[in-house]
């Protein structure tokens, strides 16, 4: 296994008589997105502050590329920390500086770049984070979502190697939350930095994370992939994950993948034999859509599709989950292939009548420069009794055909 | 029997312990307070040292100019107003007292020496503490509690360089200049009351100033202004910078109390150090 970029060995932190972290062991690997999940007040932010050096452990060692931080020379330490950015939970924007000055601050104060070069870089980040209209406004004049984006732009302005995000989606609506996560994922792929997130956004955060760390009762009780977490048997799952998943279900109407699997087991118990069908939906070319209409509008389009699926198939006893950012899976128990294809046809008709027009109005108003298209595809596959669900889902995915298309002409 | 004796001993021990605590309590409190003060004094000295180290770093010039504008230029009107009336009152009182001995010719020297050596530096420092010092503490305190100072550290911007050093440097430059303005306007105020309103001879007023005020007196006044500048700027910045570590309060309340402490402590230290510096200069 590679040497971890950051490793905690038996780290303990106390504030007076209150022990926040106790014997914490964890590993964070380079180039990955690692998410720390835990209840509020469980010490996630304290853990992040240890990584960036704002706090020091009372006991234990923190290793940076295999070397204890305390043993690294001051000059090497400064060099190591030069590539780290931190996005605070409360944004920590300078309220006496404009958006432009906030984003430009790290470049002005820590580099010898010329004014013109700083301006070029700052404006590029501001455009990427969709803040062009707010460039000379002060943080107090912005909405919570815009403030988050300013903090994100400032965190990314120095092209860091490691970015720590302390609850980047707190206080945002579901569309905006996904837009911020999508933005983080996009930049992480583009700039290839190591991202460390503290987040409660389950399951959305799974789609962008390579590794999950579960902080529970002052310790890290789980380290692994989101898929491994699904089969993790621990009180953490009942107390933290379940409560967050229920909240997510109430907000979006969709089930988590774990709940989806559990519903499938329940179906199998009731329906040991006989067929069932799986429908696979996706909104294609997400990156192109984001580049044309931005993260917010792209997430709004996905939300419209998600709601249409949940509404249509939920009414007839189906249950749905989100698989990837732009992929949805619906199961129809007790339905055969012919019936499901008929139900899909009716869904397509209703979707075109009720949802597509609204999606087009929202998307096309933002796409003024170039024409673009959104393609919605769907595939159906039939399973028998207790057949492997993943194989049926994969078959449905491979059977996808275009069911709707949304076109925006330039200047529309 | 043995149990009863043990109980009796235990009660006696507790009574002795209670008396002991009662007697030693005030001394313990005094000791803790003194240790606390010594700790703060040491921390503030180190704080000042690190701030001074950052003065000649890159990109400091514009920040210092900006702070001179805030601490100095924007305090000018209040300083001029206070000094005018201080000079006028001095002229009035001294003329009233000296005229009884036929020594009204010394009004000019009395007014000018009082202003240059004592009232100018002290009142200027107190006025700047009230106007700019409190604002510095509140601003730095808010930056601290809203994690903006932590944000600077994560961006590898030294908060001492970015926030503290320009403010202390600006105070060191502004205090003597504002003291000079205070002295000049105060002397003019004395002239208004003694000469224009009470009819003292104008030549006598200016002549006594020329005869009795030496360059040494002016230098002494500026030395005091410099000492007060260091004290006020350090106390105000220190209180704001460590507002989050106050034991008596948290958040916005901590910033409020830090501001109050900064003003009260600065005023006390101005008067105490005035005595110390005067005794050293005489």
């Amino acid at each position: 296994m590679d040497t971890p970029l950051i490793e905690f060995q038996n780290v303990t932190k106390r504030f007076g008589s209150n022990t926040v972290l106790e014997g914490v062991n964890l590993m964070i690997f380079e180039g990955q997105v690692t998410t720390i999940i835990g209840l509020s007040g469980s010490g996630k932010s304290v853990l992040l502050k240890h990584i960036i050096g704002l706090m020091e452990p009372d006991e234990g060692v923190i290793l940076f590329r295999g070397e204890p931080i305390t043993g690294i020379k001051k000059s090497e330490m400064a060099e190591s920390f030069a590539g780290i950015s931190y996005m605070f939970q409360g944004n920590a924007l300078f309220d006496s500086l404009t958006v432009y000055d906030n984003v430009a601050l790290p470049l002005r104060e820590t580099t010898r770049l010329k004014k013109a070069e700083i301006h070029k870089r700052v404006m590029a980040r501001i455009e990427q984070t969709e803040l062009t209209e707010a460039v000379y406004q002060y943080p107090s004049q912005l909405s919570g979502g815009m403030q988050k984006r300013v903090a994100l732009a400032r965190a990314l302005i120095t092209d860091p190697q490691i970015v720590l995000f302390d609850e980047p989606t707190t206080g945002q609506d579901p569309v905006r939350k996904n837009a911020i996560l999508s933005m983080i994922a996009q930049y992480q792929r583009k700039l290839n930095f190591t991202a460390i997130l503290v987040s409660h956004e389950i399951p959305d955060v799974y789609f962008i994370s390579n590794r999950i760390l579960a902080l529970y009762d002052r310790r890290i009780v789980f380290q692994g992939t989101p898929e491994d977490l699904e089969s993790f048997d621990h009180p953490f799952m009942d107390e933290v994950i379940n409560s967050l998943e229920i909240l997510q279900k109430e907000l979006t109407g969709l089930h988590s993948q774990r709940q989806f699997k559990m519903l499938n087991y329940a179906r199998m118990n009731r329906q040991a034999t006989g067929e069932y069908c799986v429908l696979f939906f996706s909104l294609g070319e997400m990156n192109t859509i984001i580049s044309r209409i931005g993260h917010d509008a792209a997430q709004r389009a996905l939300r419209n599709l998600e709601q249409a699926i949940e509404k249509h198939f939920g009414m007839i006893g189906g249950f749905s989950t989100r698989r990837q950012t732009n992929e949805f899976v619906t199961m129809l128990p007790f339905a055969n292939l012919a019936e499901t294809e008929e139900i899909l046809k009716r869904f397509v008709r209703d979707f075109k009548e009720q949802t597509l027009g609204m999606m087009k109005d929202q998307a096309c108003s933002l796409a003024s420069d170039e024409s673009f298209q959104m393609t919605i595809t769907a595939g159906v596959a039939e399973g028998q009794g207790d057949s492997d669900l993943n194989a049926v889902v994969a078959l449905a995915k491979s059977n996808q055909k275009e069911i709707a298309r949304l076109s925006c002409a330039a200047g529309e | 029997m043995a149990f009863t004796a043990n109980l009796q001993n235990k009660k006696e021990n507790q009574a002795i312990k209670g008396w002991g605590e009662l007697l030693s309590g005030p001394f313990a409190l005094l000791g803790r307070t003194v240790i606390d003060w010594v700790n703060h004094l040491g921390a503030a000295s180190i704080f000042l040292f690190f701030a001074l180290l950052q003065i000649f770093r890159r990109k400091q010039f514009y920040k210092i100019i900006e702070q001179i504008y805030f601490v100095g230029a924007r305090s000018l009107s209040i300083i001029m107003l206070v000094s005018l009336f201080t000079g006028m009152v001095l002229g009035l009182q001294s003329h009233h007292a000296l005229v009884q001995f036929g020594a009204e010719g010394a009004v000019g020297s009395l007014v000018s020496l009082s202003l240059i050596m004592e009232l100018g530096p002290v009142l200027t420092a107190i006025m700047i503490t009230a106007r700019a010092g409190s604002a510095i503490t509140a601003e730095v305190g808010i930056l601290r509690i809203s994690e903006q100072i932590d944000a600077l550290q994560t961006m590898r911007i030294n908060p001492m360089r970015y926030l503290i050093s320009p403010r202390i440097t600006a105070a060191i430059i502004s205090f003597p200049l504002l003291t000079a303005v205070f002295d000049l306007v105060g002397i003019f105020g004395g002239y208004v009351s003694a000469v224009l309103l009470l009819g003292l001879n104008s030549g006598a007023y200016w002549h006594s100033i020329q005869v009795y005020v030496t360059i040494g007196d002016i230098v002494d006044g500026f030395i005091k202004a410099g000492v007060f500048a260091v004290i006020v700027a350090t106390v105000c910045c220190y209180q704001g910078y460590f507002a989050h570590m106050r034991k008596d309060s948290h958040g916005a309340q901590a910033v409020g109390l830090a501001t109050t402490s900064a003003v009260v402590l600065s005023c006390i230290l101005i008067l105490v150090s005035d005595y110390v510096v005067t005794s050293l200069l005489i």
Side-chain angles (χ1 to χ4, degrees), chain A residues 49 52 54 81-82 84 88 92-94 105-106 108-112, chain B residues 58-59 63 143 146-148 150-157 161-162:
Chain A
K49 285 179 180 173
I52 199 153
L54 283 175
F81 280 88
I84 305 183
F88 283 80
L93 296 172
F94 285 84
L105 187 68
R108 281 183 185 154
E109 293 296 325
T110 61
T111 69
R112 289 174 184 266
Chain B
R58 204 167 56 89
K59 294 182 178 175
K63 287 190 202 92
L143 290 174
S146 58
E147 292 186 311
Q148 293 175 49
D150 287 343
L152 283 176
Q153 282 174 322
T154 63
M155 290 186 272
R156 296 167 312 285
I157 300 169
R161 177 178 69 78
Y162 187 75

Side-chain angles (χ1 to χ4, degrees), chain A residues 4-300:
Chain A
L5 180 69
I6 295 157
E7 186 177 358
F8 278 41
Q9 290 181 348
N10 294 315
V11 168
T12 297
K13 180 71 182 175
R14 297 183 194 91
F15 294 105
S17 58
N18 181 26
T19 305
V20 180
L21 302 175
E22 192 172 8
V24 166
N25 292 294
L26 63 85
M27 285 189 277
I28 291 162
F29 294 95
E30 200 153 8
Q32 291 190 344
V33 179
T34 304
T35 301
I36 303 164
I37 302 171
L39 289 170
S40 290
S42 61
K44 302 185 294 295
S45 300
V46 171
L47 203 149
L48 275 197
K49 285 179 180 173
H50 277 81
I51 295 174
I52 199 153
L54 283 175
M55 285 183 184
E56 286 180 14
D58 294 325
E59 287 166 29
V61 188
I62 300 173
L63 306 176
F64 188 78
R65 291 203 169 96
E67 271 192 70
I69 282 180
T70 44
I72 302 173
K73 281 183 196 166
K74 216 173 175 183
S75 57
E76 287 173 15
M77 185 92 152
E79 209 174 287
S80 302
F81 280 88
I84 305 183
S85 271
Y86 191 102
M87 187 174 154
F88 283 80
Q89 191 174 351
N91 303 323
L93 296 172
F94 285 84
D95 29 28
S96 57
L97 300 181
T98 61
V99 167
Y100 182 94
D101 290 331
N102 262 293
V103 179
L105 187 68
L107 292 181
R108 281 183 185 154
E109 293 296 325
T110 61
T111 69
R112 289 174 184 266
L113 291 172
K114 292 203 169 123
K115 220 174 174 179
E117 178 61 22
I118 290 175
H119 180 74
K120 198 175 116 191
R121 289 194 192 189
V122 170
M123 288 315 291
R125 277 285 180 271
I126 281 176
E127 276 167 30
Q128 284 163 349
T129 43
E130 301 166 34
L131 287 164
T132 318
E133 285 169 18
V135 68
Y136 295 116
Q137 287 185 324
Y138 289 90
S140 58
Q141 297 172 298
L142 306 177
S143 67
M146 288 173 101
Q147 287 184 13
K148 283 274 173 212
R149 279 183 281 158
V150 179
L152 183 63
R154 190 176 71 179
L156 299 176
I157 191 70
T158 49
D159 296 336
Q161 292 155 8
I162 305 169
V163 188
L164 292 88
F165 300 93
D166 192 355
E167 303 208 18
T169 54
T170 308
Q172 308 295 308
D173 59 67
V175 170
R176 182 73 70 184
K177 277 175 185 174
N178 284 329
I180 291 172
L181 291 177
S182 151
M183 221 180 274
I184 291 171
Q186 190 196 22
Y187 284 122
Q188 196 274 333
R189 282 195 299 271
K190 199 169 156 189
L191 306 172
N192 199 32
F193 56 76
T194 305
I196 304 163
L197 275 93
V198 162
S199 182
H200 292 126
E201 301 316 317
I202 293 170
D204 301 294
V205 80
Y206 292 164
F207 306 139
I208 66 162
S209 304
N210 302 101
R211 269 168 69 80
I212 302 285
L213 306 181
L215 184 63
Y216 178 78
D217 196 21
R218 304 189 292 271
R219 288 185 174 85
I220 292 288
V221 292
F222 172 85
Q223 297 188 62
T225 62
E227 293 77 32
D228 295 340
L229 185 65
E230 307 256 317
S231 52
F232 179 54
D233 185 21
H234 191 275
F236 172 80
M237 296 303 281
D238 300 322
E239 283 184 36
V240 184
I241 303 293
N242 282 358
S243 58
L244 292 171
E245 283 176 351
I246 289 164
L247 179 69
Q248 186 75 7
K249 167 85 176 73
E250 281 170 4
L251 283 172
T252 64
L254 291 189
H255 295 88
S256 70
Q257 287 194 51
R258 210 160 60 89
Q259 287 168 332
F260 187 81
K261 281 181 185 168
M262 281 161 69
L263 285 167
N264 183 45
Y265 289 136
R267 178 200 62 76
M268 276 162 57
N269 288 335
R270 290 197 311 270
Q271 187 192 358
T273 57
E275 63 277 355
Y276 68 91
C277 271
V278 167
L279 292 115
F280 195 101
F281 297 91
S282 59
L283 181 65
E285 302 291 330
M286 273 307 282
N287 287 340
T288 315
I289 296 169
I290 287 168
S291 69
R292 296 284 192 277
I293 61 173
H295 287 273
D296 280 5
Q299 289 301 326
R300 220 171 289 134

Side-chain angles (χ1 to χ4, degrees), chain B residues 24-218:
Chain B
S24 65
F27 296 103
L29 181 69
L30 183 70
R32 277 198 297 273
T33 310
V34 170
I35 290 170
D36 212 31
W37 268 87
V38 172
N39 269 339
H40 279 299
L41 192 66
S45 306
I46 295 166
F47 182 81
L48 173 66
F49 175 72
F50 281 120
L52 294 178
L53 277 185
Q54 302 293 328
I55 290 177
F56 300 105
R57 290 293 174 100
R58 204 167 56 89
K59 294 182 178 175
Q60 287 296 77
F61 182 72
Y62 292 106
K63 287 190 202 92
I64 292 170
I65 296 290
E66 206 176 294
Q67 288 304 317
I68 288 175
Y69 172 71
F70 175 71
V71 176
R74 292 184 67 180
S75 302
L76 202 58
S77 52
I78 188 83
I79 292 292
M80 287 171 78
L81 192 72
V82 171
S83 62
L84 180 71
F85 284 100
T86 306
M88 284 176 75
V89 169
L90 269 177
L92 192 68
Q93 292 277 22
S94 55
H95 184 272
H96 181 71
L98 293 173
V99 79
Q100 294 178 40
F101 308 101
E104 64 266 35
V107 167
S109 58
L110 199 150
V111 168
S112 55
L113 284 173
S114 304
L115 285 168
I116 290 167
M117 295 179 71
E118 280 303 324
L119 292 176
V122 170
L123 287 181
T124 303
I126 289 174
M127 291 314 297
I128 301 178
T129 302
R131 205 204 72 83
S134 56
I136 288 173
T137 309
E139 190 185 348
V140 175
I142 288 169
L143 290 174
R144 168 60 81 188
I145 61 158
S146 58
E147 292 186 311
Q148 293 175 49
I149 291 180
D150 287 343
L152 283 176
Q153 282 174 322
T154 63
M155 290 186 272
R156 296 167 312 285
I157 300 169
N158 185 345
M160 296 301 284
R161 177 178 69 78
Y162 187 75
L163 294 174
I164 307 302
S165 178
R167 285 169 171 80
I168 292 180
T169 314
I172 293 170
I173 295 168
S174 302
F175 270 56
L177 294 176
L178 288 172
T179 302
V181 171
F182 191 102
D183 294 347
L184 288 173
V185 176
I187 290 168
F188 175 72
Y191 176 84
V192 169
S193 62
V195 177
L196 300 182
L197 299 178
L198 299 172
L200 179 73
N201 183 281
S202 167
Y205 185 82
W206 294 120
H207 180 71
S208 72
I209 294 174
Q210 200 180 352
V211 169
Y212 290 105
V213 177
T214 64
I215 194 74
D217 300 328
I218 297 167

Side-chain angles (χ1 to χ4, degrees), chain B residues 221-239:
Chain B
F222 284 154
I223 289 172
K224 282 185 181 180
V227 171
F228 298 158
V230 172
I231 289 171
V232 170
T234 307
V235 168
C236 292
C237 289
Y238 179 84
Q239 288 286 339

